[in-house]
């Protein structure tokens, strides 16, 4: 399993950050790897909601179906699955002054022959973690203005 985690602060308060990040369709704005992310169902964003995500990382395109598996005032867990991988994105949000402290963790588990890519994936995903932190910070700070 490849795990990448970042903790950072943003200007937007948790009551703004949580609903924004829980709607995974917004990933096109804050996730540098996401090319498109469309909701498969309708209604309120709640546990069970799911999205079709297309990402391109290190020149390789992949499609996953993400499901919102946990949602509280301070925790979002989204799990993306396809035949070759399972990506679990855990986002913890706590108040920090007038803004929020965010811990973003992505656990990526490869299936079958794709497991051979795990050592290389760690290097790629560390860089992506840095890029995600930067982009997510910019987008969330924009929501506070």
């Amino acid at each position: 399993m490849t795990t990448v985690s970042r903790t950072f602060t943003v200007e937007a308060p948790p009551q703004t950050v949580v609903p924004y990040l829980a709607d995974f369709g917004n990933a096109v704005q804050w996730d540098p790897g996401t090319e498109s992310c469309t909701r498969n169902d309708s209604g309120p964003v709640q546990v069970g909601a799911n999205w079709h995500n297309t990402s391109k990382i290190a020149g390789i395109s992949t499609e996953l179906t993400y499901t919102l598996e946990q949602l509280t005032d301070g925790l979002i867990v989204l799990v993306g699955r396809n035949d070759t991988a399972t990506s679990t994105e855990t986002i913890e949000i706590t108040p920090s002054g007038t803004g929020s402290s965010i811990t973003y963790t992505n656990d990526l588990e490869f299936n079958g022959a794709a497991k051979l890519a795990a050592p290389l994936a760690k290097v790629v995903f560390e860089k992506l973690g840095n890029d995600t932190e930067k982009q997510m910070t910019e987008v969330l700070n924009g929501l506070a203005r």
Side-chain angles (χ1 to χ4, degrees):
M1 181 179 308
T2 299
T3 299
V4 174
S5 186
R6 300 288 185 274
T7 299
F8 51 97
T9 57
V10 298
E11 297 168 13
Q15 62 266 26
T16 301
V17 170
V18 172
Y20 176 81
L21 293 177
D23 183 346
F24 201 57
N26 292 322
V28 296
Q29 297 169 353
W30 59 261
D31 179 2
T34 295
E35 294 185 322
S36 69
C37 193
T38 54
R39 182 101 182 255
N40 292 327
D41 55 358
S42 60
V45 173
Q46 60 189 11
V47 171
N50 62 82
W51 294 261
H52 178 83
N53 179 282
T54 302
S55 295
K56 190 171 195 175
I57 300 166
I60 300 170
S61 292
T62 189
E63 297 183 25
L64 294 101
T65 298
Y66 273 87
T67 302
L68 181 59
E69 296 205 349
Q70 291 183 51
L71 177 61
T72 69
D73 290 341
L75 179 68
I76 301 163
V77 178
L78 292 142
V79 180
R81 295 178 177 90
N82 66 16
D83 291 341
T84 60
T86 300
S87 176
T88 302
E89 301 193 31
T90 303
I91 308 169
E92 299 170 80
I93 304 103
T94 56
S96 178
T98 58
S100 303
S101 175
I102 297 175
T103 299
Y104 172 84
T105 304
N106 187 315
D107 293 310
L108 183 63
E109 185 168 355
F110 291 100
N111 305 320
K115 287 182 181 182
L116 298 173
L120 177 61
K122 179 68 173 172
V123 173
V124 171
F125 277 86
E126 282 296 334
K127 180 183 181 326
L128 186 60
N130 293 337
D131 295 345
T132 300
E133 176 184 349
K134 181 178 184 232
Q135 195 161 322
M136 188 184 289
T137 299
E138 290 173 5
V139 168
L140 294 175
N141 284 343
L143 295 178
R145 297 183 182 116

